[in-house]
Amino acid sequence: MKWRPNVFVAAFVLGAAALTVLPFLQRRFLKAPEPIYTLPPWSLSTSSGEAVSDASLKGRVYLASFIASPCDTECVARQESFGHALPHLDDLDGGLVMVSFSAVAPSPSQPNWYVLGGPNESAVVESFREGWRRWAGTDAGTTPEEFSRLPGYAVVDQTGAVRGFWKDDVAGRGNAINAARLLLRYGVKP
């Protein structure tokens, strides 16, 4: 009887070797985006009066969304879509949160999601729009209504620097969450 190598054993050994090496390769090639723009200091509040500022979010990564006023049915649908990210943050113990900039948005009742507004809300959103203009290299999104529809999400790192903008769709949400997770896991200089 002639010895023949078992294809399944060979595949198992090759698979185990690939899975052992893969995390090292991923760490080398997967990185969070570089900082685009550092946001100036800001402070807003929730509808219940809780003050939230750049200082209170320091050390945390957050996903930001922007809601134009008035918030029509399309706007409400975008906010509900933004909320689909919440289950993907549960394992991070509050290190990654969501922030919606608008005093007119429907207020979510979930933890780790701040809906913010206040007298200087437009100045805060304008600072994000400045980051958008630098990142996109375009003047598109110059009005608050346009801007609220262009980027779905922004990712802001632990130091208050905008790291990128993603579309408001399943792929964009996943990519934004992955970038935020990389920042949270490896810090601002991964």
Side-chain angles (χ1 to χ4, degrees):
M1 181 157 116
K2 191 174 183 182
W3 181 80
R4 296 170 63 195
N6 188 333
V7 175
F8 296 107
V9 171
F12 176 79
V13 170
L14 285 174
L19 289 175
T20 302
V21 173
L22 187 61
F24 299 107
L25 292 175
Q26 284 179 330
R27 178 68 187 109
R28 183 177 180 118
F29 295 108
L30 287 178
K31 295 186 187 300
E34 294 294 320
I36 299 167
Y37 178 74
T38 300
L39 297 168
W42 58 268
S43 180
L44 297 170
S45 60
T46 65
S47 59
S48 64
E50 177 187 357
V52 178
S53 67
D54 63 314
S56 67
L57 293 175
K58 194 167 186 88
R60 298 166 94 182
V61 177
Y62 62 94
L63 297 175
S65 73
F66 315 96
I67 304 145
S69 175
C71 190
D72 58 12
T73 55
E74 180 186 333
C75 163
V76 171
R78 280 196 318 271
Q79 274 307 97
E80 288 173 357
S81 174
F82 184 59
H84 292 307
L86 275 175
H88 303 286
L89 313 180
D90 287 343
D91 63 322
L92 301 173
D93 299 323
L96 175 56
V97 296
M98 296 171 38
V99 179
S100 295
F101 291 96
S102 176
V104 298
S107 183
S109 60
Q110 293 105 352
N112 297 325
W113 187 358
Y114 301 103
V115 177
L116 304 176
N120 63 344
E121 174 196 339
S122 60
V124 176
V125 174
E126 179 55 38
S127 64
F128 275 98
R129 286 190 355 225
E130 176 59 30
W132 165 260
R133 286 189 285 271
R134 290 179 186 202
W135 180 79
T138 180
D139 285 337
T142 54
T143 69
E145 294 78 24
E146 288 175 329
F147 181 68
S148 70
R149 286 180 173 83
L150 283 175
Y153 312 118
V155 173
V156 181
D157 70 18
Q158 297 92 321
T159 65
V162 176
R163 291 299 188 113
F165 294 89
W166 284 266
K167 285 185 172 183
D168 186 11
D169 58 17
V170 174
R173 183 173 48 251
N175 290 334
I177 291 169
N178 285 338
R181 283 179 168 275
L182 285 168
L183 287 164
L184 190 61
R185 185 170 183 183
Y186 298 111
V188 295
K189 294 187 181 189

